[in-house]
Amino acid sequence: QVQLAESGGGLVQAGGSLRLSCAASERLFSTYIMGWFRQAPGKEREFVAAIRWSGGPTYYADAVKGRFTISRDSARNRNMVYLQMNSLKPEDTAVYYCAAGPSSLPTAQVMGAPGYDHWGQGTQVTVSS
């Protein structure tokens, strides 16, 4: 069972940056795709970014493309995924969730929450104007 824990959220002014981290409870070989999703009050959970653990393509929602960068640290005994968020906007305010899904997840399903089996508890990001 993979357990995920997010950290790094907080309050930041518009135009600022934050780096979110996601720690996984077991070594992730090449068996997962890792994603970030977010949910604002009164809205559905939406895809932000994803990366295949084995290395390879990254995926971004249009709303964050060019501003956010997803990366992972697969060094020995480290199971970390990061989301670097730059040029933050008030509309980026949400609870951000880390998620893990099977590496076989088809590209067409990467941006859908149902494709992910494991979720963290979320970390709040608030961007003030």
Side-chain angles (χ1 to χ4, degrees):
Q1 179 77 8
V2 176
Q3 293 182 326
L4 306 172
E6 305 91 339
S7 62
L11 173 64
V12 64
Q13 289 188 331
S17 298
L18 280 175
R19 188 197 197 202
L20 304 184
S21 299
C22 174
S25 62
E26 66 179 49
R27 177 155 176 78
L28 298 172
F29 296 99
S30 57
T31 59
Y32 288 98
I33 181 169
M34 303 299 297
W36 286 97
F37 288 75
R38 66 186 182 185
Q39 188 166 18
K43 295 187 177 181
E44 293 187 355
R45 191 168 297 189
E46 65 176 5
F47 172 79
V48 176
I51 185 169
R52 295 194 186 272
W53 196 261
S54 58
T58 53
Y59 310 87
Y60 294 95
D62 287 344
V64 306
K65 204 170 292 184
R67 300 188 297 123
F68 291 11
T69 302
I70 187 170
S71 62
R72 85 277 190 268
D73 184 347
S74 58
R76 184 180 178 85
N77 295 325
R78 291 182 61 85
N79 312 310
M80 300 293 295
V81 177
Y82 304 100
L83 185 68
Q84 178 67 43
M85 306 186 295
N86 299 327
S87 303
L88 283 162
K89 305 176 181 180
E91 51 263 44
D92 294 318
T93 295
V95 177
Y96 283 70
Y97 297 91
C98 178
S103 62
S104 57
L105 190 66
T107 299
Q109 298 179 25
V110 166
M111 296 186 179
Y116 296 79
D117 305 310
H118 308 282
W119 293 84
Q121 293 300 307
T123 184
Q124 176 71 46
V125 172
T126 302
V127 184
S128 63
S129 57

